[in-house]
Amino acid sequence: MKGAKLRLIILGPPGSGKGTQASILARKYGLLYLATGDIFREEIKRKTDLGKQVEAYMARGELVPDELVMEVIRKKLESGSDGSKIGFILDGFPRTERQAEELDKLLNEINLKLSAVLLIDVPDEEVVKRLSGRRICEKCGAVYHVEYNPPKIEGICDICGGKLVQREDDKPEVVRRRLQVYHEQTDPVISFYEKSNLLYRVDGLGEVEEVHRKIEALLKIICDD
Ligand code: AP5
C-alpha cells in the first residue's frame, strides 16, 4: 500500500480514538496529518488571533464556526507541503455538512480525490470512560490513558519526559456537550459520505492494536479496488 495514494478522513465521536489511530497511520504511510483540534489548541497556546477567536467555543464543547475552520484547512491543503504530492489524513474535520461540501469543492479545485472516510464507531458510555482517563503531554502532545495506555512513570511522558495534563474540554460536563454536538452536527456528515459510497465503518472497541488491524484490513480492500 502506498501512502502517497491514501487520502483519508477519520470520523467518529469525541474520544473514539481518531487521534490515536490517525497518528499510527500517518507515521506508517508518511501521510500529511491534519487534526483541526490540535491546530486550534496550538493557536490558543501561542495566543494568536485565531487562538483567541476559537478558545471560548472549544472550552464550551461547541464547534468553531465553519468559516474559521475552512480558512485553516484551505491554507494547509494548498500550501507547499500539500496533500497533492503526498497522501493525507484529516482528523476531526469535516464536522458539519457544510464543511463536507466545502471540502468537496476545495478538493475538486486542486484535483484531488478522497480514498475513503473511516468512521470509528464507539458507544457514548465508552467515550466518557476514555475521555475521563485521557492525559496529554503538554510538551509534545503524545496521548495516554491512565488505565488503557498508561505511561511508564505516572504523570510523565515516555517520549519526551514532559508533564501529562488533562485537556480542559475533557471535564465531564463539557464531554456531555461535545457528544450532544457530535450527534446533532456530525451525524449528517456520516450520511453525506454514505451517499457518495466513501464511508467505511470500523468497530472502535478493543485494544488500540486490534482497532488498527481492522483499519488495515479495510485499507487493503479499499486500495485493491
Ligand atoms: P478535537 O481535538 O478534534 O476533539 P474530538 O473530536 O472531540 O476528539 P478527541 O481528540 O477528544 O478524541 P479522539 O477521537 O482523537 O480520541 P483519542 O485518540 O485522543 O476537537 C476539539 C474541539 O475543537 C471541538 O470540540 C471543537 O470545539 C473544535 N474543533 C475541532 N475541529 C473542528 C471542526 N472541524 N469544526 C468545528 N470545530 C472544531 O483517544 C481518547 C482516549 O482514549 C485516549 O486517552 C486514548 O489513549 C484512549 N484510547 C484510544 N483508543 C483506544 C482503544 N482502542 N481502547 C482504549 N482506549 C483507547
Side-chain angles (χ1 to χ4, degrees), residues 12-21 36-38 40-41 54 57-59 61-66 69 91-96 99 126 130-131 133-136 143-146 148-149 167 169-170 178 204-209 211:
S16 53
K18 302 183 295 295
T20 302
Q21 296 298 331
T36 39
D38 289 348
F40 293 141
R41 276 185 289 279
V54 302
Y57 294 103
M58 291 179 70
E62 305 288 339
L63 294 187
V64 167
D66 289 337
V69 179
D91 164 10
F93 170 87
R95 249 180 162 94
T96 63
Q99 290 179 19
E126 176 70 11
R130 288 189 186 179
L131 292 186
R134 174 164 63 182
R135 298 295 179 270
I136 311 277
V143 179
Y144 298 85
H145 190 281
V146 289
Y148 305 138
N149 176 27
R167 242 168 69 174
D169 60 351
D170 281 349
R178 284 164 63 199
L205 292 178
E207 297 200 348
V208 171
E209 256 311 304
V211 178

Side-chain angles (χ1 to χ4, degrees), residues 68-137:
L68 291 177
V69 179
M70 286 316 302
E71 212 178 296
V72 166
I73 288 289
R74 184 172 278 278
K75 266 193 209 142
K76 296 277 181 191
L77 283 181
E78 286 177 346
S79 71
S81 60
D82 68 353
S84 61
K85 297 189 190 78
I86 51 169
F88 61 72
I89 184 158
L90 305 178
D91 164 10
F93 170 87
R95 249 180 162 94
T96 63
E97 207 169 350
R98 165 135 182 252
Q99 290 179 19
E101 287 163 0
E102 293 283 325
L103 176 67
D104 253 13
K105 273 193 233 154
L106 174 60
L107 291 178
N108 266 333
E109 277 169 36
I110 51 181
N111 265 321
L112 293 182
K113 264 202 163 67
L114 284 174
S115 317
V117 178
L118 306 171
L119 169 65
I120 309 205
D121 255 335
V122 167
D124 288 5
E125 319 84 73
E126 176 70 11
V127 161
V128 175
K129 269 195 233 157
R130 288 189 186 179
L131 292 186
S132 57
R134 174 164 63 182
R135 298 295 179 270
I136 311 277
C137 173

Side-chain angles (χ1 to χ4, degrees), residues 156-218:
I156 305 289
C157 178
D158 293 349
I159 301 164
C160 74
K163 191 175 149 206
L164 301 186
V165 295
Q166 186 170 33
R167 242 168 69 174
E168 274 302 308
D169 60 351
D170 281 349
K171 308 232 162 91
E173 62 289 2
V174 188
V175 168
R176 278 195 293 276
R177 180 64 191 140
R178 284 164 63 199
L179 269 170
Q180 196 183 6
V181 167
Y182 174 78
H183 291 303
E184 284 166 10
Q185 304 198 45
T186 309
D187 279 352
V189 177
I190 299 172
S191 321
F192 180 92
Y193 287 117
E194 230 158 13
K195 278 183 217 144
S196 39
N197 286 327
L198 280 169
L199 192 86
Y200 295 82
R201 287 174 191 268
V202 182
D203 175 6
L205 292 178
E207 297 200 348
V208 171
E209 256 311 304
E210 199 184 326
V211 178
H212 174 66
R213 278 198 298 272
K214 291 180 210 168
I215 294 178
E216 286 275 278
L218 271 179

